[in-house]
Amino acid sequence: MTNLTNLSANPSANPSYQQLPIIDLSAADRGPQARALLHAQLHSAAHDVGFFQLVGHGVGERETGDLLAAMRAFFALPEAERLAIDNVNSPHFRGYTRTGDERTGGRQDWRDQLDIGAERAARIPGPGEPAYWWLEGPNQWPAGLPELRSAALAWIERLSAVAERLLHELLTAIGAPVDFYDAVFGERAHPHLKLVRYPGSAGDGAGQGVGAHKDYGFLTLLLQDRVGGLQVQREDGLFHDVPPLDGAFVVNLGELLEVATNGYLVATNHRVVSPPSAVERFSVPFFYNPRLDARVEPLPFPHASAAPGVTDDPANPLFAEYGFNELKGKLRAHPLVAERHHAELLSPA
């Protein structure tokens, strides 16, 4: 088990890449000196690495245990019951994805998962409305497992609050107005939760867990088990393991924060290496995303003149309205859903 006390004593020391910076969010409540140190550490982690481990977040063992128990019960269901809520049935990209049906970088991801969002009525875009409104709609839930619905929706609400607080502290840390992005969230924010199982490597040993990518929202909070497999690309260009840390969320910044700060805050490439063939790995990423129609304005902050510019990737253009970015990602990642429900949105081959 990782010794949290020893690691927390010097969270900025990381010469060997054995661990990401560790940020204790509860320091914000321990007086001006502790909060100032928190902001210095958070500033450095977000500017230099784009990834960190978050402790002191207030999410308890019971909440976590409820979610993990419900998730394991879901993946223990017979395949026919999981396929009854196949995401191919959903024009909103919600539901179960079989192993190999999702793609990153054009290659199969060797995992299966359940995609869940805010529980809302379907919104079918009208004439002249953006196609991204297809992303708003109901979830699919397995019959006979009501505890999964309650645990997952409670997790979305709980982690939305943690992410909101973390974003406020991060903006304060870099000298930006704390409430600058509040208006793009609110009741119509578009959070996204994945319950993910990595069933072990593909038969030929070549299956990627998840290919190298960046997230396209604001913040991602990941609950990972003790198996490991997450890797982050560091400044040496290599991918380094992220050792699991009990009770911590692995946090990474999304592309919207990189764009908002003109590259001062970094969205970092990361991937998951499949576990050995006989080992299952479970993880729960939560994506803190704004409203689909949100336009993310440039952030006013005193370090803007030191911003290096946004990473340029012609294969991954970024749009002003968040919804177009998420729709682009969904169409690429879930080709079966795209072909069945959204063929008119696909580019000609």
Side-chain angles (χ1 to χ4, degrees):
M1 180 181 296
T2 305
N3 188 320
L4 182 58
T5 302
N6 290 343
L7 284 170
S8 296
N10 190 8
S12 62
N14 196 18
S16 65
Y17 297 129
Q18 289 305 301
Q19 186 53 274
L20 294 174
I22 298 172
I23 303 296
D24 184 353
L25 190 57
S26 68
D29 301 322
R30 294 203 294 268
Q33 186 173 358
R35 192 165 185 239
L37 178 59
L38 164 67
H39 289 159
Q41 295 169 339
L42 191 53
H43 186 160
S44 174
H47 175 56
D48 298 330
V49 186
F51 262 84
F52 52 89
Q53 299 265 23
L54 185 72
V55 299
H57 42 68
V59 178
E61 292 183 6
R62 181 173 180 177
E63 297 168 277
T64 304
D66 287 347
L67 180 71
L68 294 179
M71 180 173 89
R72 287 180 178 272
F74 172 73
F75 286 110
L77 292 173
E79 184 181 43
E81 293 185 36
R82 284 178 274 129
L83 288 176
I85 58 169
D86 194 320
N87 76 337
V88 174
N89 302 324
S90 169
H92 318 294
F93 297 88
R94 307 290 178 87
Y96 176 67
T97 303
R98 289 177 291 188
T99 301
D101 277 2
E102 185 172 17
R103 287 165 171 75
T104 302
R107 294 178 56 206
Q108 288 181 312
D109 292 330
W110 205 248
R111 61 178 182 173
D112 59 346
Q113 65 186 37
L114 184 64
D115 283 280
I116 302 164
E119 191 70 85
R120 296 183 181 133
R123 178 165 178 181
I124 300 173
E129 288 190 318
Y132 57 65
W133 289 120
W134 278 112
L135 299 175
E136 194 166 281
N139 296 297
Q140 296 191 83
W141 303 105
L145 200 60
E147 61 268 32
L148 178 63
R149 183 183 191 277
S150 57
L153 294 180
W155 193 257
I156 287 175
E157 183 175 354
R158 188 73 171 89
L159 263 66
S160 291
V162 173
E164 179 183 36
R165 186 184 186 199
L166 176 60
L167 180 60
H168 284 171
E169 296 298 340
L170 175 57
L171 294 181
T172 302
I174 64 171
V178 66
D179 59 352
F180 189 78
Y181 290 121
D182 284 4
V184 303
F185 287 94
E187 292 183 358
R188 304 305 295 184
H190 193 73
H192 179 203
L193 175 66
K194 285 178 179 280
L195 306 181
V196 184
R197 174 178 63 175
Y198 298 88
S201 58
D204 61 2
Q208 65 184 11
V210 179
H213 67 285
K214 299 178 181 180
D215 297 340
Y216 37 75
F218 266 72
L219 294 168
T220 302
L221 281 68
L222 171 72
L223 177 67
Q224 64 169 341
D225 65 13
R226 296 184 180 184
V227 173
L230 174 66
Q231 296 183 334
V232 173
Q233 190 173 34
R234 300 299 297 267
E235 52 265 38
D236 60 3
L238 302 177
F239 282 87
H240 295 266
D241 291 327
V242 177
L245 181 62
D246 286 349
F249 292 117
V250 181
V251 176
N252 65 279
L253 278 60
E255 290 174 326
L256 288 184
L257 275 174
E258 181 173 317
V259 170
T261 61
N262 197 30
Y264 186 80
L265 301 182
V266 294
T268 304
N269 272 321
H270 53 287
R271 68 187 185 189
V272 175
V273 176
S274 291
S277 58
V279 177
E280 284 187 325
R281 175 182 184 263
F282 294 90
S283 71
V284 185
F286 169 79
F287 304 91
Y288 185 56
N289 302 325
R291 300 190 327 262
L292 290 171
D293 60 348
R295 286 180 172 268
V296 179
E297 300 295 334
L299 185 68
F301 68 112
H303 307 283
S305 61
V310 176
T311 305
D312 182 29
D313 182 358
N316 182 36
L318 295 174
F319 300 99
E321 289 180 59
Y322 169 69
F324 286 119
N325 295 303
E326 178 154 337
L327 180 61
K328 171 194 63 180
K330 288 289 197 293
L331 293 171
R332 289 179 175 179
H334 297 279
L336 298 180
V337 179
E339 289 164 10
R340 173 175 289 191
H341 298 285
H342 307 296
E344 74 282 359
L345 302 178
L346 299 176
S347 299

